């Protein structure tokens, strides 16, 4: 998104690496992620009650799909199991992200594994 080898981003990554190595947030937290979450909540006038972080864009799409599916299930609308996607869209290489990708080069090899989305 911001370009490869961006000096400012690389410097921030190197500084953070000296403070905290990569840590999965499944049942774990740390001060920087708490501070970021609080800042994000403040930006939304505290309408944002929870933050969910992903390691990359495809994982973020995967999480969003799962959260949508789960929200409908929690509301008792278990029949809501379909997704739509934009024609020609690309969302990543995870199974869920590929399911809402409309680029045959990426999805055809995995077609039998994927839930079909409406274009």
């Amino acid at each position: 998104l911001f370009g490869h080898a961006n000096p400012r981003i690389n410097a921030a990554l190197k500084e953070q690496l000296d403070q905290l190595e990569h840590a999965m947030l499944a049942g774990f937290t740390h001060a920087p992620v708490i501070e970021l979450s609080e800042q994000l909540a403040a930006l939304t006038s505290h309408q944002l009650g929870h933050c969910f972080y992903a390691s990359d864009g495809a994982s973020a799409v995967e999480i969003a799909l799962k959260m949508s599916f789960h929200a409908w299930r929690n509301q008792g609308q278990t029949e809501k199991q379909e997704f739509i996607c934009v024609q020609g869209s690309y969302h990543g290489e995870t199974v869920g992200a590929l399911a809402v990708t409309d680029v045959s080069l990426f999805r055809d090899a995995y077609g039998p594994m994927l839930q079909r989305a409406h274009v």
Side-chain angles (χ1 to χ4, degrees):
L1 179 64
F2 298 108
H4 296 281
N6 179 296
R8 183 175 169 209
I9 294 173
N10 284 356
L13 289 169
K14 290 172 186 173
E15 180 183 339
Q16 180 176 324
L17 188 58
D18 287 336
Q19 297 173 28
L20 179 73
E21 69 282 359
H22 171 75
M24 196 169 103
L25 294 175
F28 178 77
T29 192
H30 50 77
V33 80
I34 292 169
E35 292 167 14
L36 176 60
S37 299
E38 289 173 349
Q39 290 172 5
L40 291 170
L43 288 172
T44 66
S45 298
H46 298 281
Q47 295 297 309
L48 177 66
H50 297 83
C51 292
F52 202 108
Y53 296 94
S55 58
D56 55 68
S59 296
V61 170
E62 191 89 15
I63 291 164
L65 293 169
K66 290 167 68 177
M67 289 174 78
S68 173
F69 184 89
H70 200 99
W72 287 118
R73 181 178 173 192
N74 286 349
Q75 294 177 31
Q77 296 192 40
T78 56
E79 72 284 356
K80 289 189 149 296
Q81 300 179 10
E82 298 177 4
F83 296 97
I84 61 170
C85 67
V86 176
Q87 187 175 19
S89 61
Y90 172 78
H91 299 290
E93 297 289 328
T94 62
V95 173
L98 279 173
V100 293
T101 288
D102 185 46
V103 179
S104 60
L105 172 68
F106 298 107
R107 67 171 287 126
D108 284 357
Y110 306 101
M113 293 177 60
L114 307 176
Q115 179 174 337
R116 180 57 74 179
H118 302 279
V119 181

